[in-house]
């Protein structure tokens, strides 16, 4: 099996079978690290880190050196022509001619997808804003497998900044796919974004029991727990009785506690950070004495700040330095596979296909313009060539998901291009929560963020829109 010329932008790009392939090759790399120096001889990796990094950048570079390849790098946007207004697409085309593979970290959500779309060589997302960090997830899963032999059936508590933590988003998708149960334990105001929750529940078919849906007595015992994602493999009977199922869940404890720091660099103001810091949960020896965490591995993508006590470092259940160290063999395996210098045979029965949903697309550049100011498609240099593109992921209510940052948007008004483009005198728009959301074919759907936008484009309110005013 070859994975040559593929890119890894989100966890959706690898099937579970392929992840297992990466792990088995990582084992091979780990066992004979000093025998890999000709695997990528003659290959060049471009290492582009436009946000701070210690582990991801240096473990990728160490991995490439261990494989006998070479590294070219840029670690400061100000020292590249992006600072002169060059687009990511042009940069990608150029670097794709200089290197055989590109590893990129960038603050814009969806930046790695743009680079992958234009580079013509494999691209690895080393973190794009708050969106995803798939290679961190690979080494997190690798650690879980090494320590617990399986991921299926494990219970993992995700702790801290679930809102901005890109490692959390990638890990939640992967855990759900591998059949783990996830406890979401955010710091106050740092709950998992709705679009991540929706993807978890619609694409991986588990059930989400939300804290707010539980009765008061159960709630008191649970805080701070926001929700539990229950994998479909969990007993159906349990998932039918939410309060009871959550109490049983908590009694049996979790297999791992995945701690994250407050992502201050993603907050709009320093004052916002100060407020959140005050209430940010801290994991220390006292906290871990609770029954729920008795057997739990303590994991963290690092860097840590104040949320994880140094007194835990000597505990054999503390995994965070092991996780970081395992980044080298895992990234060696990934580089060798994507560069096509290693091919792996897979047992015949293994399903290697990447599960992808075929959603219809919305490609008009109106109605959904300001969906996320941190999305790559919203940036001045990139707007010149990126046409906004959204997956129509739901009809009732109508929900569009950006193909770059995966933020979701519920349009307020809709119309059909089929009926109106020059064929009828009367161009009508409707409420997105009317039956028209179901009726209009995806290929004809046009959406508006407001009535004034619809009217600026020459549409008139339908009878029902007028009635609601
Ligand atoms: N875990 C992680 O991404 O660390 P760095 O930011 O140091 O790369």
């Amino acid at each position: 099996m070859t994975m040559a010329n593929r890119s890894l932008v989100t966890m959706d790009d690898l099937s579970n079978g392929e992840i297992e392939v990466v792990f088995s090759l990582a084992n091979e790399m780990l066992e004979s690290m000093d025998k890999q120096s000709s695997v990528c001889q003659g290959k060049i990796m471009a290492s582009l880190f436009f946000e701070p990094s210690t582990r991801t950048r240096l473990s990728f570079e160490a991995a490439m050196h261990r494989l006998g390849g070479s590294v070219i790098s840029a670690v400061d946007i100000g020292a590249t022509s992006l600072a002169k207004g060059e687009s990511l697409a042009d940069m990608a085309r150029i670097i794709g001619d200089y290197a055989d593979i590109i590893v990129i970290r960038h603050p814009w959500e969806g930046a790695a997808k743009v680079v992958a779309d234009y580079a013509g060589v494999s691209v690895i997302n080393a973190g794009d804003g708050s969106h995803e960090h798939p290679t961190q997830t690979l080494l997190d899963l690798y650690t879980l497998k090494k320590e617990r032999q399986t991921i299926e059936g494990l219970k993992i508590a995700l702790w801290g900044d679930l809102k901005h933590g890109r490692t959390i988003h990638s890990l939640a998708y992967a855990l759900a796919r591998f059949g783990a149960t996830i406890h979401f334990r955010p710091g106050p105001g740092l709950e998992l974004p709705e679009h991540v929750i929706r993807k978890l529940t619609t694409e991986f078919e588990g059930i989400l029991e939300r804290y707010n849906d539980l009765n008061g007595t159960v709630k008191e015992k649970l805080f701070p727990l926001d929700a539990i994602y229950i994998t479909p493999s969990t007993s159906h009977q349990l998932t039918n009785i939410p309060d009871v199922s959550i109490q049983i869940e908590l009694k049996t404890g979790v297999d791992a506690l995945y701690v994250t720091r407050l992502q201050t660099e993603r907050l709009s103001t320093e004052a916002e950070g100060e407020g959140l810091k005050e209430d940010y949960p801290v994991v220390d020896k006292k906290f871990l004495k609770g029954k729920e965490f008795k057997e739990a591995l303590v994991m963290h993508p690092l860097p840590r700040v104040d949320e994880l006590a140094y007194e835990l470092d000597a505990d054999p259940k503390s995994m965070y330095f092991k996780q970081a160290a395992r980044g080298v063999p895992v990234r060696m395996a990934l580089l060798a596979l994507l560069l096509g210098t290693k091919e792996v045979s897979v047992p015949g029965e293994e399903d290697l296909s990447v599960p992808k949903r075929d959603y219809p697309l919305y490609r008009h550049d109106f109605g959904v313009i300001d969906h996320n100011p941190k999305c790559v498609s919203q940036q001045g240099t990139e707007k010149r060539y990126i046409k906004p593109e959204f997956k129509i992921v739901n009809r009732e209510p109508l929900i569009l998901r950006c193909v770059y940052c995966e933020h979701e948007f519920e349009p307020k008004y809709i119309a059909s291009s089929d009926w109106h483009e020059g064929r009828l005198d009367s161009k009508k728009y409707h409420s997105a929560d009317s039956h028209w959301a179901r009726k209009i074919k995806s290929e004809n759907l046009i959406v508006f963020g407001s009535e004034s936008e619809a009217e600026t484009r020459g549409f008139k309110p339908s009878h029902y829109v007028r009635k609601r005013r």
Side-chain angles (χ1 to χ4, degrees):
M1 180 202 83
T2 179
M3 286 167 65
N5 304 319
R6 297 255 303 271
S7 287
L8 174 56
V9 172
T10 74
M11 287 315 293
D12 290 345
D13 293 324
L14 290 179
S15 69
N16 288 11
E18 285 166 341
I19 292 172
E20 299 284 4
V21 164
V22 173
F23 293 168
S24 93
L25 188 56
N27 284 339
E28 202 181 303
M29 299 286 179
L30 195 58
E31 277 161 24
S32 53
M33 198 64 103
D34 53 352
K35 295 204 178 90
Q36 310 300 331
S37 60
S38 58
V39 173
C40 289
Q41 216 163 22
K43 300 286 184 189
I44 296 177
M45 178 184 93
S47 169
L48 313 176
F49 277 75
F50 301 136
E51 277 191 333
S53 169
T54 298
R55 277 145 291 272
T56 314
R57 176 183 157 214
L58 296 178
S59 64
F60 260 118
E61 295 186 3
M64 195 56 174
H65 285 300
R66 294 250 182 222
L67 294 166
S70 311
V71 178
I72 55 173
S73 62
V75 292
D76 174 11
I77 284 187
T80 70
S81 288
L82 293 177
K84 302 176 205 164
E86 184 168 50
S87 68
L88 282 175
D90 282 358
M91 180 201 73
R93 284 189 180 112
I94 302 301
I95 298 176
D97 284 337
Y98 299 162
D100 301 292
I101 193 161
I102 297 173
V103 180
I104 181 161
R105 172 171 288 189
H106 196 287
W108 293 340
E109 298 174 20
K113 173 174 161 51
V114 172
V115 175
D117 287 347
Y118 287 89
V121 295
S122 295
V123 171
I124 299 175
N125 180 7
D128 56 339
S130 294
H131 179 219
E132 284 218 33
H133 189 350
T135 65
Q136 176 67 42
T137 290
L138 289 182
L139 62 95
D140 295 338
L141 296 180
Y142 184 66
T143 298
L144 283 169
K145 268 212 95 167
K146 280 244 172 254
E147 304 299 325
R148 293 286 184 259
Q149 287 70 54
T150 179
I151 297 161
E152 189 174 356
L154 291 183
K155 283 182 204 164
I156 314 293
L158 303 183
W159 181 273
D161 187 351
L162 310 191
K163 182 175 178 183
H164 306 103
R166 55 193 171 202
T167 64
I168 290 286
H169 306 157
S170 295
L171 183 57
Y173 298 141
L175 289 173
R177 260 174 43 186
F178 275 93
T181 289
I182 313 167
H183 294 194
F184 295 107
R185 309 192 69 137
L190 296 164
E191 291 77 16
L192 204 63
E194 278 304 313
H195 68 273
V196 177
I197 290 177
R198 265 191 44 79
K199 190 167 169 182
L200 278 175
T201 50
T202 54
E203 307 210 351
F204 309 118
E205 284 146 20
I207 296 169
L208 197 84
E209 301 293 5
R210 286 190 190 248
Y211 173 77
N212 284 340
D213 299 338
L214 301 173
N215 76 43
T217 331
V218 178
K219 268 179 172 180
E220 271 170 35
K221 294 183 193 158
L222 292 181
F223 188 77
L225 179 99
D226 184 48
I228 296 184
Y229 171 87
I230 300 174
T231 180
S233 53
T234 301
S235 151
H236 187 61
Q237 198 184 1
L238 285 185
T239 55
N240 275 344
I241 324 168
D243 290 357
V244 175
S245 75
I246 287 193
Q247 287 181 70
I248 291 170
E249 278 286 326
L250 292 179
K251 264 191 195 147
T252 49
V254 295
D255 296 284
L257 174 67
Y258 191 94
V259 186
T260 57
R261 76 183 164 90
L262 176 64
Q263 309 277 303
T264 42
E265 67 274 32
R266 309 272 172 237
L267 307 175
S268 353
T269 60
E270 248 178 62
E272 190 186 355
E274 289 310 314
L276 290 168
K277 260 185 218 163
E278 259 173 47
D279 300 325
Y280 205 77
V282 174
V283 172
D284 54 15
K285 270 190 180 166
K286 188 173 160 221
F287 173 83
L288 290 177
K289 281 210 169 81
K291 206 165 145 195
E292 192 187 346
F293 302 114
K294 214 166 147 228
E295 304 297 329
L297 302 172
V298 180
M299 300 177 74
H300 194 306
L302 302 179
R304 69 173 147 185
V305 193
D306 297 315
E307 69 288 345
L308 184 64
Y310 279 73
E311 64 184 8
L312 298 176
D313 295 357
D315 188 322
K317 295 200 294 301
S318 293
M319 288 291 122
Y320 27 97
F321 294 120
K322 276 191 180 171
Q323 282 167 262
R326 286 166 178 162
V328 175
V330 168
R331 289 176 171 127
M332 285 170 77
L334 184 67
L335 287 170
L337 288 165
L338 300 187
L339 282 165
T341 58
K342 280 273 184 190
E343 293 192 1
V344 184
S345 59
V346 181
E349 299 303 304
E350 193 109 36
D351 179 13
L352 290 176
S353 59
V354 183
K356 280 218 168 46
R357 292 213 176 192
D358 283 329
Y359 292 112
L361 291 173
Y362 179 82
R363 288 191 167 115
H364 301 285
D365 56 357
F366 55 88
V368 281
I369 296 301
D370 300 320
H371 64 284
N372 171 16
K374 292 177 182 162
C375 178
V376 67
S377 68
Q378 309 275 292
Q379 312 306 321
T381 48
E382 316 308 310
K383 274 183 178 171
R384 297 176 196 139
Y385 64 97
I386 293 180
K387 198 166 172 67
E389 199 170 311
F390 295 81
K391 293 175 183 173
I392 304 171
V393 295
N394 205 54
R395 280 300 185 135
E396 286 180 281
L398 183 62
I399 300 177
L400 308 189
R401 182 189 299 157
C402 173
V403 300
Y404 296 99
C405 68
E406 299 199 274
H407 276 228
E408 292 182 343
F409 178 87
E410 281 190 43
K412 295 215 167 28
Y413 299 98
I414 55 174
S416 168
S417 59
D418 184 41
W419 302 332
H420 303 304
E421 276 182 357
R423 292 196 220 170
L424 289 179
D425 291 340
S426 154
K427 293 162 60 172
K428 293 271 165 55
Y429 66 92
H430 313 273
S431 285
D433 60 2
S434 68
H435 68 285
W436 292 103
R438 246 188 357 261
K439 215 165 167 183
I440 298 170
K441 286 186 187 156
S442 299
E443 61 270 29
N444 298 328
L445 182 72
I446 46 183
V447 308
F448 307 108
S450 64
E451 288 196 47
S452 63
E453 187 179 16
E455 284 167 31
T456 306
R457 290 185 179 276
F459 287 81
K460 292 188 178 63
S462 69
H463 170 67
Y464 297 101
V465 171
R466 284 201 313 273
K467 233 168 94 178
R468 276 194 182 190
R469 279 176 176 167

